[in-house]
Each structure stands twice: as C-alpha cells, then as structure tokens.
C-alpha cells in the first residue's frame, strides 16, 4: 500500500515508490524535491530560511536552504541514489503579507527561492521545474512513482509540474 | 537570552494576566466600535513549540484568516491573530450585527472589520503591557492574509525561527448573544526582547 509521508516545517525525508511525500501550507518556505528516476527514490525538504551561515541558531540543518539540500543529497545517496542522476523540482517562496516600506524580512520568500536555486546550482543538480513566488500558500504532493509534483492552492488553482 | 520554553510559572502568570487585562480593554473597545456588548476572555495561555503551531490551527493546509502586526520601540515583536475561516465569518456577523451565518464572502468592509479587530486586540494587549512595563511599544498597520494556516505562519515564523523555537499563544474568545468565536493570538518577541519585558515586569528571575 502506498503511503503519503508528511514532511513538517524545517524537516526532510526520503522515500521510495510507491510512497508519496507531502508537505502542507508552504508560504515563504520552499519545498525542495530531489528525484532519482532509476531506483525511483525521492526526497523532500521543507526549508524556512535561506542560509545557515547568517543564523545565530543553526542547530537544525533542515531549516536552511544551503544545509538542508546538502543533507538531503547525502541521505538520498545513502539510500541508493546516484548523485549525477538527481534532478530537482521546487515550489513555494511566496510573499504572504504586503506592507508599505517592506523590509528584507518580508521578502523572505523570494530570498528562500533564490537560495534554493543557488544551492542546486552549486551542487550541480538540474532544476527541471519550479512554481515559486506569488502571494499565496501551496500544499505539495510528490509522487515518487512518476516524479510528478502536484501543487495545490486555495483560490489559485492546482497544477502538476 | 530567554526563550519562551524556559519561562517559570510566575513569568507565565504575569504574561497571562496582561492578556486578561488586554482582553477586558479590547472588549470595551469592540463594544464601542459595534455599539453592542461583546465579551472577550483569554481562557488559555500556552507556550508552544513552533512545529506544533499548525496543528493548533487545524493543520497546515486549513483555511484561516491571519492578521499580522509588527511592534517596534523599546522591544521588537510580532503579533499574529489567527481565526479559522468559519470563525472569521461568525466574527464578522457579530461585528456587523447580522444573524450568524450571513457572511459568506469577504468584501472590502468585511476585511476591514477583521483588520480592525486585529488592531484592537493587538493594541489593547500592548497597552496593558506598556502599563506594566513602562516600555515603548508601537504597533504597525495590520496586514491581513486569507490562506493556508502553514503559509500564513511560516512567513512570520521564519524570522522568529532564527532565534527561538517557542511561541506564546493566548486563546481569545469573543462572545455575543451566546455565540462564541475563538481565535489564537500569537506573540513572538524578537531576540532579547523577552528578557527586556520580563525584567521590566520585575519577574526576570
């Protein structure tokens, strides 16, 4: 029986077909899905912040784009993935509130998405699809059998990337 | 640096008492705004780990209304007031003095009424806090979001997540004509601000 495995905020998990990985309510956070289509192995990280380098409290590597993606790659390889076959799909990085004279902090979604793209590039992982930005939340379900990433929203449609 | 996770019973009681006084004042302000009696109480104050917050709101993808304000002055803090979407409709019914179940969509007037409630609840809590601490606290204009609970929260928790892993939650109950509406009021102080508040309250140890 296929299971749907939940990944919480600032957490990451690896799973095999026929299971699915899911994370609910991504706002400024970004869901990073890595896939190796040969063994049908997938990983999902729900990152909250761009960089572990700037944080005072960086005890949880899964919270930050840079350290979470590195950790997810390591876990995928440990589970049997080939590094050079890994591809990525990402979703999230919205800006949920609008303020006059908005500070950097309020653009955290944009910064998260950028940090994820930069980290993927640094690790030479090909980004095959993305659905980021906007001002609305996303729930994502990663189907490890097909590599499809379903993106659900409230009032902004559903799509598969 | 103090985190909510390390607060003593006495410190929690102090914050809860401020919540109750704030709620009393907010009820008065609301009653004036709508010209009808609305009771407001804080039945429960708790400290939650960040990761448990979405569950409290019915799951990360449950549909909610969130009203968010930043606080600046002697301390920095974030205030978020969250209502499940159905409760927000009932609260609008109360404010607009229409029968329960009348409000379906949120137009400009409904949104502005909700924003005003967020404003009143936050300002009265802050006023109570200012009265006890003599600290300067100025709230921003409220921002409003209607979306998934997790999405509303994470934008705000993201900045808080850099320093602490716990938040203070005041369950806030509105009552008019025997109809109850419950929302959650979150206080997220910035680094060092909780120490400033506790020491100004005289309960720093």
């Amino acid at each position: 029986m296929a299971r749907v495995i939940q990944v919480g905020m600032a957490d990451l998990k690896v799973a095999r077909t026929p299971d699915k990985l899911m994370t609910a309510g991504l706002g400024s956070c970004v869901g990073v899905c890595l896939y190796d289509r040969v063994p049908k192995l997938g990983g999902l990280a729900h990152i909250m912040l761009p960089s572990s380098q700037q944080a005072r409290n960086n005890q949880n590597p899964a919270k930050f784009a840079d350290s979470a993606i590195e950790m997810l790659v390591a876990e995928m390889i440990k589970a049997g993935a080939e590094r050079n076959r890994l591809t990525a799909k990402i979703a999230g990085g919205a800006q949920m509130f609008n303020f006059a004279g908005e500070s950097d902090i309020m653009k955290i979604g944009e910064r998260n998405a950028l940090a994820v793209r930069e980290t993927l590039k640094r690790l030479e992982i090909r980004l095959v699809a993305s659905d980021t930005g906007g001002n609305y939340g996303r729930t994502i379900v990663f189907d490890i059998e097909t590599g499809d990433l379903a993106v659900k929203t409230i009032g902004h449609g559903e799509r598969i990337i | 640096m103090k985190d909510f996770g390390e607060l003593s019973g006495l410190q929690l009681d102090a914050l809860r008492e401020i919540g109750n006084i704030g709620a009393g004042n907010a009820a008065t302000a609301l009653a004036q705004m709508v010209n009808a009696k609305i009771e407001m109480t804080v039945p429960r104050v708790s400290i939650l780990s960040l990761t448990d917050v979405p569950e409290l709101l019915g799951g990360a993808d449950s549909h909610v209304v969130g009203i968010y304000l930043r606080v600046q002055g002697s301390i920095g803090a974030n205030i978020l007031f969250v209502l499940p979407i159905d409760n927000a409709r009932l609260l609008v019914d109360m404010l607009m003095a229409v029968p329960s179940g009348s409000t379906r969509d949120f137009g400009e007037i409904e949104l502005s009424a909700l924003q005003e409630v967020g404003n009143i609840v936050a300002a009265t809590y802050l006023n109570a806090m200012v009265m006890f601490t003599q600290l300067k606290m100025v709230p921003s204009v409220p921002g409003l979001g209607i979306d998934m609970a997790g999405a509303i929260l994470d934008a705000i928790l993201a900045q808080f997540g850099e320093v602490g892993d716990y938040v203070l939650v005041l369950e806030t109950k509105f009552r008019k004509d025997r109809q109850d509406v419950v929302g959650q009021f979150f206080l997220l102080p910035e680094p060092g601000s909780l120490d400033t508040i506790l020491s100004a309250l005289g309960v720093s140890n």
Side-chain angles (χ1 to χ4, degrees):
Chain A
M1 250 279 283
R3 292 175 303 163
V4 177
I5 300 164
Q6 303 273 347
V7 180
M9 193 186 280
D11 194 8
L12 58 82
K13 282 184 181 139
V14 172
R16 293 170 193 281
T17 191
D19 291 346
K20 294 178 182 184
L21 286 163
M22 166 184 179
T23 196
L26 289 163
S28 63
C29 292
V30 178
V32 183
C33 301
L34 298 184
Y35 190 52
D36 181 342
R37 65 188 159 76
V38 177
K40 296 201 172 171
L41 194 65
L44 171 56
H46 181 148
I47 66 105
M48 276 179 91
L49 292 167
S51 167
S52 59
Q53 305 296 314
Q54 292 158 15
R56 266 168 282 205
N57 174 358
N58 57 6
Q59 284 161 0
N60 177 8
K63 198 185 264 181
F64 307 94
D66 54 352
S67 45
I69 298 175
E70 283 172 16
M71 194 170 153
L72 188 59
V73 169
E75 300 248 322
M76 295 267 303
I77 290 171
K78 206 163 72 186
E82 276 290 338
R83 195 192 162 108
N84 57 15
R85 277 198 305 254
L86 290 181
T87 54
K89 291 185 179 183
I90 65 172
Q95 188 176 337
M96 300 302 299
F97 292 94
N98 265 305
F99 286 96
E102 49 196 54
S103 64
D104 265 7
I105 274 169
M106 297 321 291
K107 287 185 184 153
I108 189 94
E110 207 175 294
R111 284 164 54 214
N112 278 337
L114 187 68
V116 164
R117 285 172 205 271
E118 279 170 358
T119 305
L120 290 171
K121 206 167 173 184
R122 176 166 61 79
L123 299 175
E124 296 176 337
I125 296 168
R126 195 161 56 94
L127 179 62
V128 293
S130 71
D131 181 41
T132 61
N135 61 352
Y136 51 89
R138 295 168 172 89
T139 287
I140 58 171
V141 182
F142 186 29
D143 184 338
I144 296 165
E145 174 62 27
T146 59
D148 284 347
L149 183 64
V151 180
K152 296 173 193 171
T153 69
I154 294 179
H156 296 268
E158 293 192 15
R159 50 208 165 257
I160 288 173
I161 63 169
Chain B
M1 206 150 44
K2 266 259 187 309
D3 194 311
F4 276 133
E6 309 157 17
L7 291 188
S8 69
L10 178 67
Q11 291 168 330
L12 261 184
D13 281 347
L15 293 169
R16 185 195 332 253
E17 193 48 29
I18 292 172
N20 275 321
I21 293 168
N25 295 343
T28 309
L30 274 180
Q32 279 167 358
M33 174 176 134
V34 300
N35 203 14
K37 193 165 182 276
I38 293 183
E39 284 171 52
M40 236 183 99
T41 50
V42 179
R44 207 154 53 119
V45 176
S46 46
I47 303 293
L48 272 190
S49 149
L50 285 187
T51 48
D52 292 335
V53 169
E55 276 321 302
L56 176 74
L57 299 170
D61 55 1
S62 66
H63 200 178
V64 302
V65 174
I67 298 145
Y68 170 64
L69 300 95
R70 277 177 70 84
V71 180
Q72 284 168 316
S74 319
I75 63 146
N78 300 280
I79 286 178
L80 179 67
F81 182 60
V82 184
L83 293 153
I85 191 103
D86 291 334
N87 293 12
R89 288 194 180 100
L90 289 172
L91 186 59
V92 171
D93 291 338
M94 272 186 196
L95 298 169
M96 314 280 267
V98 293
S100 277
S102 304
T103 303
R104 304 201 62 85
D105 299 325
F106 294 102
E108 208 171 312
I109 295 172
E110 287 79 8
L111 291 179
S112 128
L114 284 171
Q115 215 153 356
E116 194 48 32
V117 172
N119 222 356
I120 288 172
V121 174
T124 47
Y125 184 78
L126 288 179
N127 281 343
M129 187 88 97
V130 165
M131 201 167 77
F132 284 105
T133 60
Q134 307 296 319
L135 296 169
K136 190 175 169 218
M137 301 182 200
V138 186
S140 70
V141 171
L144 185 137
I146 302 182
D147 212 302
M148 300 171 189
I152 297 271
L153 281 167
D154 74 14
I156 295 153
L157 294 185
Q159 42 182 315
F160 188 64
E162 293 204 30
V163 286
D165 287 312
Y166 295 88
V167 296
L168 177 74
V169 190
L170 292 95
E171 187 181 296
T172 307
K173 191 155 90 177
F174 302 84
R175 165 173 279 202
K176 185 187 169 201
D177 304 334
R178 292 203 205 140
Q179 171 82 54
D180 285 341
V181 173
V182 175
Q184 308 291 344
F185 180 92
F186 296 89
L187 180 71
L188 323 163
E190 279 162 17
S193 288
L194 188 58
D195 293 311
T196 311
I197 294 170
L198 293 173
S199 96
L201 285 172
V203 290
S204 52
N205 292 307

